[in-house]
Amino acid sequence: QARELGGSTVFTASEAADAMTKLAMAGFDTNQILAATPATLALASAGQIELAEAADIASNVLSGFGLQAEETDRVVDVLAATATSTNTTVSSLGESFKEIAPTANNLNIPIEEVAAAIGLLGNSGIKGTDATTTLNSALNRLSKPTAEMKAKMSELNVEFFNSNGEFIGLTNTVDVLNKSFVGLTDEQKANAISTIFGARAN
């Protein structure tokens, strides 16, 4: 496969083999490496980064979200689309995902929703681990709400977990807040966001 990719991509067979080695070091078995390598090369090309970095990013995202190697194409598509449509890069997304993926996976938030949120933060100038810190802080606060948070959520009549204790998702959270903010002043909205999600979420 390394020889084949060396002849059909911008990378040499040796570079493809190096990417395979990196994936092996991340714990991928032979079949997983064969499944993930072509997409890893595509990620390196799309992000204009070294193959070793692309392999590192891909393996981190896959393991963080509990995804199989066969879903590397999905990961690459999400990263590439986010990097080209928002003020982010594949490298900065890699930093963000490395930290946020375990939290998002625990709350069953799909990679597409997380990427969209990181992209929006990137458009606001919040990138890499800064974006991760903001999201992690907000999500962890929702998981363990304080009395003040519970009072504010009750006041707004909002819930972020369903009757089964499952997180409603980032997109639904935004929708719920938008509906609850109708009629509020900008100051009241800012106070609500700060109380529920923390000062960094502003």
Side-chain angles (χ1 to χ4, degrees):
Q1 187 189 58
R3 287 194 296 271
E4 179 184 326
L5 291 171
S8 61
T9 70
V10 297
F11 301 101
T12 66
S14 178
E15 288 173 324
D18 287 341
M20 291 176 171
T21 301
K22 188 73 174 181
L23 292 172
M25 292 171 64
F28 284 43
D29 63 29
T30 301
N31 289 330
Q32 290 173 326
I33 291 171
L34 292 173
T37 299
T40 300
L41 268 63
L43 180 62
S45 181
Q48 297 183 329
I49 56 178
E50 296 293 326
L51 269 176
E53 182 181 0
D56 193 42
I57 290 172
S59 61
N60 284 338
V61 174
L62 286 166
S63 60
F65 277 90
L67 301 174
Q68 299 300 312
E70 290 74 14
E71 294 189 80
T72 307
D73 281 337
R74 174 189 174 191
V75 169
V76 170
D77 287 344
V78 169
L79 292 175
T82 304
T84 56
S85 62
T86 65
N87 186 26
T88 58
T89 64
V90 170
S91 293
S92 68
L93 287 170
E95 288 299 311
S96 295
F97 272 106
K98 183 166 61 177
E99 301 296 331
I100 194 66
T103 300
N105 189 39
N106 287 337
L107 292 173
N108 293 314
I109 308 173
I111 182 176
E112 290 81 3
E113 278 197 12
V114 177
I118 293 174
L120 288 174
L121 289 170
N123 287 342
S124 299
I126 306 172
K127 304 177 184 180
T129 54
D130 285 338
T132 296
T133 301
T134 300
L135 274 177
N136 259 336
S137 175
L139 292 173
N140 286 328
R141 284 175 65 86
L142 288 182
S143 298
K144 298 178 181 179
T146 63
E148 185 180 15
M149 289 171 60
K150 290 178 180 178
K152 180 60 69 174
M153 289 187 286
S154 177
E155 176 187 327
L156 295 172
N157 193 30
V158 296
E159 293 285 346
F160 301 110
F161 291 84
N162 63 24
S163 58
N164 294 321
E166 299 166 336
F167 181 53
I168 63 174
L170 295 176
T171 302
N172 286 334
T173 293
V174 173
D175 289 341
V176 165
L177 287 174
N178 282 335
K179 291 175 182 176
S180 70
F181 283 174
V182 173
L184 298 185
T185 65
D186 289 342
E187 182 180 4
Q188 289 173 321
K189 293 176 185 177
N191 175 266
I193 291 173
S194 180
T195 300
I196 296 174
F197 299 103
R200 289 186 63 91
N202 287 318

